[in-house]
Amino acid sequence: MSSARFHRSDRKDKNMRIHRSETTFTALWLLAATLLASVNAQETKESKPDSKTQPTVPTALGIVRGVTEGDVSSFKGIPYAAAPVGANRWRPPQPMSPWDGERDASKFGADCAQAGFPRTPGSISASSSEDCLFLNVWRPASAAGDSKLPVMVWIHGGAFVFGSGSSPDFSGVQFAKQGVIVVTFNYRLGRLGFFAFPALSKEHPDEPKGNYAYMDQIAALKWVQKNIAAFGGDPNNVTIFGESAGGVSVHTLLTSPLSRGFFQKAISESGGGRDGVLTGRPMSKDGVDPNYPVAAETIGVNFAHKHGIEGTDAAALAKLRALSVGEIVDGGQESDGPGGPPIYPGPILDGKLVVQTAESAYKAGRQANVPLIIGSNSAEVPAGFVNASSKEELLSQFVSVKSEMSAAYDPDGATDFARMLTLVNTDKVWAEPARFTARAFVAKGTPAYLYLFSYVSPSMQGRMRFGAAHGSEIPYVFNNLRTRNGATVDPKDEAVAKMINTYWANFAKTGDPNGPGLPKWPRYEPSKGEIFDIKLDGSPIAEPDPRKARLDVIEKAVNASKSR
């Protein structure tokens, strides 16, 4: 392992480039989340039950007592593993001790430790805690132990540094009304979710290392396998679905040897599929991956140095575990000062849980053989992954296909530059990787359904000028529309939300999103090149992908960069 402070200037330059990219990803996700919050929010607050029904369910660890409101019952704040604190910090989730009597499951548990807003070093969000491995279940009130209802397990986004399974946007009420059980959960975030250190790699050598967030996700899926039948769910009909970092997690679960058999269907919303965005950093070798030149263990040493901890032995690890949770979260800082060495790794190629990137697995046909829905939004982010201040500067970053890029994105020379930059970022990070992934599944004989979400609420079209922003499909997927900051819910919003929620529920039931009263969503066939587009006006249509020329040139640029 090279020096933790990267005295070589070439290594430091690579460091700073990749770190800026990752920091920008977090900032852009926050921007998208803020934009989204201004349109979608019928705050699904914890209203008082309209009846005093308090259903109980026996789990493997004890009885939980939930709440029934109308025709939906919910069970919140159920622990699925022991608190990951003290000696359990940076270890796989440990077994939870059983409890006596009935456990109150009427309220959410704490979010996983994360920075608050505004960010303050040494503190964490008031709603968060290091003791955070809780999950939540929504089911039809009529569900019984022999109902065998389909189950959907939601993996929240947030760039792997913030978010939780208890956001009101993720209420499973509307899915439950469609006869689907929904499970949401928290998983460790930031340096508590992804961390490597030389002494940590040597400790408990049989355990997986580094990707504690993914270990939590698998532990939640194991909980579902063991307990969901008691809630009326079918453990053999589980669909995982997630957005952004949650969509990236879906790719990891599709390709990890440790998650096989825990789910039967998958949905990735704006989760990419190619290398380079939250897709796996080398554990201990610097300079071997052009996307991630700094190894995870090196980054762990950087973080230790920031806190005055020298050495890489067990004593140094003990000092790291003795840091407060606020010092670990560190205000969400991802580098040791402006332009300093990185101190947060993100996902790691650990060799046990993450043994390959999703792109490598898909190219070799090594993914789980389960039906897939995958897609992206029409105008995800305005910049951040590809940055430029002019068209010429933008096109010059694609030198091998510069003329083709110009023809695809600016055919008459009159394309608004901000629009062009938005489309390049959207296509490179999300749209083309989604098409690549769908092709890989079809090549293996697995059903894949490829979508493009272009709908923008009439109340938001002035803010989302170029199309649907990152995360803007979520309230429609859950059919949880909200009003806030003067943005109103339009009848079109309600129609789109009911439609998308039904497509997702149908897929969870049968592996096919189609059903009575819905426009036909055909399986993806690469030879036809069709996309299922939820248009700007909310009308769904299967048509030849209007982005084909753009995605083809992005694909060509990606392949050219890999051949160099």
Side-chain angles (χ1 to χ4, degrees):
M1 184 175 69
S2 63
S3 169
R5 291 295 178 171
F6 310 109
H7 295 301
R8 290 177 52 193
S9 60
D10 58 338
R11 179 64 50 75
K12 185 174 181 180
D13 289 343
K14 289 180 180 178
N15 250 2
M16 294 170 64
R17 285 199 298 273
I18 190 64
H19 170 65
R20 280 196 298 267
S21 172
E22 292 168 341
T23 302
T24 302
F25 184 85
T26 304
L28 288 170
W29 207 101
L30 286 166
L31 173 64
T34 302
L35 183 65
L36 176 62
S38 66
V39 61
N40 307 312
Q42 141 205 334
E43 182 90 19
T44 329
K45 292 183 178 176
E46 297 304 309
S47 57
K48 293 182 179 179
D50 57 11
S51 75
K52 294 187 177 181
T53 304
Q54 296 181 313
T56 58
V57 172
T59 73
L61 295 176
I63 298 171
V64 293
R65 184 182 67 253
V67 174
T68 295
E69 301 181 64
D71 52 3
V72 175
S73 297
S74 62
F75 304 81
K76 303 184 178 80
I78 304 172
Y80 66 88
V85 301
N88 288 343
R89 180 185 282 176
W90 299 316
R91 284 196 68 194
Q94 299 297 304
M96 173 75 184
S97 297
W99 58 84
D100 296 325
E102 296 180 357
R103 183 184 179 98
D104 179 17
S106 64
K107 298 178 181 179
F108 292 117
D111 300 340
C112 281
Q114 57 196 275
F117 299 97
R119 296 188 177 198
T120 305
S123 68
I124 62 174
S125 166
S127 64
S128 71
S129 168
E130 194 170 3
D131 180 3
C132 64
L133 299 185
F134 303 104
L135 55 76
N136 318 293
V137 180
W138 287 262
R139 71 172 188 182
S142 60
D146 59 354
S147 296
K148 291 190 175 181
L149 297 176
V151 181
M152 299 185 76
V153 180
W154 171 253
I155 308 170
H156 73 80
F160 291 124
V161 295
F162 69 97
S164 80
S166 59
S167 166
D169 284 325
F170 310 149
S171 166
V173 167
Q174 297 303 321
F175 277 119
K177 289 181 177 181
Q178 299 228 41
V180 176
I181 292 179
V182 168
V183 178
T184 69
F185 65 95
N186 301 337
Y187 57 89
R188 281 172 282 182
L189 302 168
R191 271 174 292 273
L192 294 165
F194 298 102
F195 188 74
F197 192 74
L200 192 58
S201 296
K202 296 175 182 178
E203 181 186 67
H204 305 294
D206 293 335
E207 294 181 352
K209 305 292 181 181
N211 295 298
Y212 305 100
Y214 289 149
M215 296 177 208
D216 293 346
Q217 294 175 12
I218 293 172
L221 289 172
K222 289 180 177 179
W223 183 95
V224 169
Q225 289 294 302
K226 183 178 293 186
N227 294 284
I228 206 64
F231 291 83
D234 184 353
N236 296 313
N237 189 7
V238 175
T239 300
I240 57 171
F241 69 132
E243 185 270 346
S244 193
V248 173
S249 299
V250 168
H251 288 296
T252 297
L253 295 170
L254 282 165
T255 56
S256 172
L258 301 188
S259 57
R260 293 295 170 94
F262 296 142
F263 58 92
Q264 289 70 44
K265 307 175 194 72
I267 303 173
S268 177
E269 304 169 24
S270 301
R274 290 222 187 243
D275 294 347
V277 181
L278 303 177
T279 55
R281 181 185 300 278
M283 174 65 84
S284 59
K285 294 183 179 180
D286 293 325
V288 298
D289 187 326
N291 294 305
Y292 301 103
V294 188
E297 286 187 355
T298 304
I299 291 174
V301 172
N302 291 345
F303 180 71
H305 283 177
K306 178 178 181 181
H307 289 276
I309 299 171
E310 300 300 327
T312 60
D313 58 8
L317 177 58
K319 292 177 182 177
L320 284 166
R321 281 204 173 106
L323 293 175
S324 70
V325 63
E327 289 172 309
I328 297 293
V329 173
D330 198 21
Q333 297 300 309
E334 297 181 23
S335 67
D336 187 359
I343 54 174
Y344 169 62
I348 300 165
L349 283 164
D350 67 283
K352 287 188 177 181
L353 195 158
V354 181
V355 300
Q356 60 197 326
T357 66
E359 180 175 352
S360 298
Y362 296 152
K363 285 180 176 178
R366 290 193 290 261
Q367 71 272 21
N369 187 26
V370 302
L372 175 72
I373 286 178
I374 189 167
S376 56
N377 297 350
S378 58
E380 297 269 4
V381 297
F385 301 94
V386 181
N387 298 301
S389 57
S390 68
K391 290 182 181 180
E392 177 59 27
E393 183 182 354
L394 174 60
L395 293 171
S396 294
Q397 296 180 52
F398 297 87
V399 62
S400 65
V401 292
K402 185 175 180 180
S403 60
E404 294 166 84
M405 285 286 290
S406 180
Y409 286 91
D410 192 26
D412 58 4
T415 303
D416 180 277
F417 172 64
R419 173 183 176 83
M420 186 174 170
L421 187 59
T422 297
L423 294 181
V424 170
N425 276 274
T426 296
D427 293 348
K428 186 175 188 301
V429 178
W430 290 284
E432 190 281 329
R435 187 181 73 171
F436 158 77
T437 302
R439 286 175 173 175
F441 274 68
V442 172
K444 198 177 178 182
T446 307
Y449 296 87
L450 183 63
Y451 75 86
L452 170 62
F453 188 83
S454 304
Y455 177 70
V456 178
S457 171
S459 65
M460 285 298 288
Q461 290 182 9
R463 298 189 185 188
M464 298 186 196
R465 293 189 299 137
F466 307 130
H470 193 63
S472 62
E473 86 289 353
I474 293 174
Y476 300 94
V477 166
F478 282 87
N479 195 5
N480 288 333
L481 301 175
R482 306 190 267 159
T483 59
R484 188 187 294 169
N485 297 341
T488 59
V489 174
D490 189 271
K492 281 187 178 180
D493 296 331
E494 295 174 343
V496 172
K498 183 177 180 180
M499 175 182 65
I500 299 297
N501 183 252
T502 303
Y503 277 127
W504 262 232
N506 287 346
F507 182 75
K509 293 172 182 177
T510 67
D512 184 333
N514 293 288
L518 292 172
K520 177 69 174 178
W521 182 349
R523 284 190 187 185
Y524 179 64
E525 295 184 36
S527 61
K528 292 184 178 180
E530 286 187 340
I531 190 82
F532 191 68
D533 188 0
I534 296 87
K535 294 286 193 180
L536 176 64
D537 65 1
S539 60
I541 185 170
E543 64 179 0
D545 194 340
R547 311 163 301 170
K548 183 179 186 304
R550 290 168 19 207
L551 302 193
D552 285 351
V553 70
I554 290 291
E555 179 183 35
K556 189 173 182 179
V558 168
N559 291 335
S561 68
K562 290 181 180 296
S563 65
R564 289 201 294 268

